[in-house]
Amino acid sequence: MKKEDLRIVFMGTPEFAVETLRAMVENGYDVVAVVTQPDKPVGRHGSVLQPSAVKQYAVEHGLPVLQPEKMKDPEFVEQLRAYQANLQVVVAFRMLPEVVWAMPAYGTFNVHAALLPQYRGAAPINWAVINGETRTGVTTFFLDHDIDTGRIIMQLPFDIPDTADVEYVYDGLMSLGADICLQTLERIIAADGHPESIEQSDSSLLALHSSLKTAPKIFKETCEINWNQPVKRVYDFIRGLSPYPGAWTTLVTPEGKEMVLKIFRTTKTSNSPTGRVGQIVADRKHLNVSASDGLLQIDELQLAGKKRMDAVAFLNGMKEIENYFVR
């Protein structure tokens, strides 16, 4: 098989997916259509429709765009079938029904931002950092009936430095995801459309993981900080949600007034805890919070309704901060 023999439909929505689509286009693959989410209402009254990052790229490069409300819509299915694709590539999109993923002769493969079967789910990058992993990666696998369970084609690892936040890992995996997609396409071509793949239940694969962790969707309540944990756990939790959606806590004044406080960057210290969990320990240049086994230094934060700032700027605007606490 030659590269020219592939007719590819690409499916994706956010910026993370654009890098892979761009790599395919710039490397001469025939992307016959792009499927993405419907335009999203934005603005105070929802009167402005914002196209997805993938749609913006597709339109700029003259690629046909489909935006179904429902993936099982018979009209959409027929539109998709009309493009006569023999392969579909999915990056950061929604779950597909069998009528869609089974349509192409060579199947549908997904680029997932984790080393499956580890971190199946919607937020693998966040959870890998939250859990203090030192390594993650990207996986390509063929879609089947269940979420993130299909046969693995290939994987590429990515190291997570202890100081890295989600933005660093996101950017790294976004680039690596484009690389693995191109390598997977080369394997498909070399194998005449049917590359070797491995079941996720294969014992050699499972032996690489002492336990399997999931990556469920993250909601606002997921992001609330629990200070009654070791400093390392709180530190990882905060960087695993920074800069978006942002870990938050409740700042309580001596009078009992409560304010939402987002925390974006911290530094682990070797200091022993002072007072009760959640107590603030501060001087003119340093802001610390007591966790279960020590103090965590807060470096960047944001009060509700205010701009993101460093700890020194925050301290300059607060009086008697040593009498506040967080919970």
Side-chain angles (χ1 to χ4, degrees):
M1 178 189 295
K2 298 178 181 179
K3 178 188 292 187
E4 295 75 19
D5 295 328
L6 287 179
R7 290 178 56 83
I8 302 170
V9 165
F10 180 84
M11 301 184 182
T13 295
E15 177 194 16
F16 189 90
V18 174
E19 192 73 12
T20 300
L21 177 58
R22 178 185 294 113
M24 293 168 62
V25 170
E26 292 181 354
N27 280 273
Y29 284 96
D30 186 12
V31 180
V32 297
V34 169
V35 181
T36 190
Q37 295 277 37
D39 294 357
K40 185 178 180 181
V42 296
R44 180 173 296 180
H45 304 291
S47 57
V48 178
L49 293 178
Q50 177 70 42
S52 71
V54 163
K55 179 181 178 179
Q56 292 178 52
Y57 178 88
V59 170
E60 289 170 2
H61 291 80
L63 302 175
V65 176
L66 301 177
Q67 296 178 272
E69 292 282 351
K70 297 180 179 180
M71 299 300 290
K72 290 184 178 180
D73 183 344
E75 182 178 351
F76 162 69
V77 172
E78 287 310 307
Q79 286 178 325
L80 187 62
R81 199 183 309 277
Y83 284 101
Q84 299 182 326
N86 50 22
L87 179 69
Q88 292 176 154
V89 178
V90 180
V91 183
F93 198 52
R94 49 182 153 168
M95 188 174 180
L96 304 182
E98 184 174 1
V99 68
V100 172
W101 59 256
M103 186 182 297
Y106 304 140
T108 300
F109 77 80
N110 180 277
V111 178
H112 186 74
L115 298 175
L116 292 173
Q118 197 70 273
Y119 293 110
R120 293 172 178 153
I125 304 177
N126 296 94
W127 285 108
V129 181
I130 287 171
N131 289 330
E133 304 287 0
T134 59
R135 173 170 284 198
T136 185
V138 288
T139 301
T140 51
F141 69 97
F142 286 114
L143 294 189
D144 63 10
H145 293 91
D146 298 315
I147 297 176
D148 300 336
T149 59
R151 293 181 65 90
I152 290 173
I153 308 167
M154 64 178 301
Q155 298 185 316
L156 294 175
F158 181 85
D159 291 334
I160 306 176
D162 184 63
T163 55
D165 61 14
V166 159
E167 186 171 42
Y168 173 91
V169 183
Y170 180 99
D171 290 346
L173 295 185
M174 181 167 61
S175 177
L176 197 62
D179 292 343
I180 199 173
C181 177
L182 295 180
Q183 292 181 41
T184 300
L185 290 172
E186 290 170 0
R187 288 194 181 190
I188 290 172
I189 292 168
D192 289 329
H194 303 286
E196 291 185 7
S197 58
I198 183 174
E199 293 281 359
Q200 293 192 34
S201 58
D202 187 276
S203 59
S204 64
L205 188 61
L206 293 175
L208 301 174
H209 307 280
S210 57
S211 63
L212 295 183
K213 301 167 187 173
T214 59
K217 187 174 181 179
I218 289 175
F219 299 94
K220 180 181 178 181
E221 55 269 25
T222 313
C223 303
E224 184 175 10
I225 300 168
N226 173 13
W227 295 99
N228 194 25
Q229 300 181 94
V231 165
K232 178 67 164 65
R233 288 287 298 165
V234 181
Y235 171 80
D236 289 337
F237 183 81
I238 290 169
R239 68 191 181 98
L241 296 167
S242 178
Y244 182 83
W248 62 274
T249 190
T250 301
L251 181 66
V252 184
T253 70
E255 297 76 31
K257 181 181 178 181
E258 298 183 354
M259 298 172 281
V260 173
L261 181 70
K262 281 192 173 183
I263 300 176
F264 297 98
R265 188 167 59 86
T266 63
T267 300
K268 291 174 291 182
T269 76
S270 57
N271 297 319
S272 300
T274 300
R276 61 174 174 166
V277 167
Q279 183 171 335
I280 290 177
V281 180
D283 56 35
R284 299 177 71 178
K285 293 186 177 181
H286 301 94
L287 175 65
N288 299 278
V289 175
S290 188
S292 66
D293 67 344
L295 295 180
L296 183 66
Q297 179 177 298
I298 312 302
D299 300 319
E300 289 188 29
L301 65 168
Q302 181 180 18
L303 269 175
K306 304 292 184 179
K307 293 182 179 180
R308 180 172 169 173
M309 65 185 75
D310 62 30
V312 173
F314 175 80
L315 290 168
N316 286 339
M318 301 293 289
K319 295 181 179 179
E320 300 181 347
I321 189 64
E322 65 275 2
N323 295 321
Y324 287 53
F325 67 93
V326 295
R327 62 165 178 80

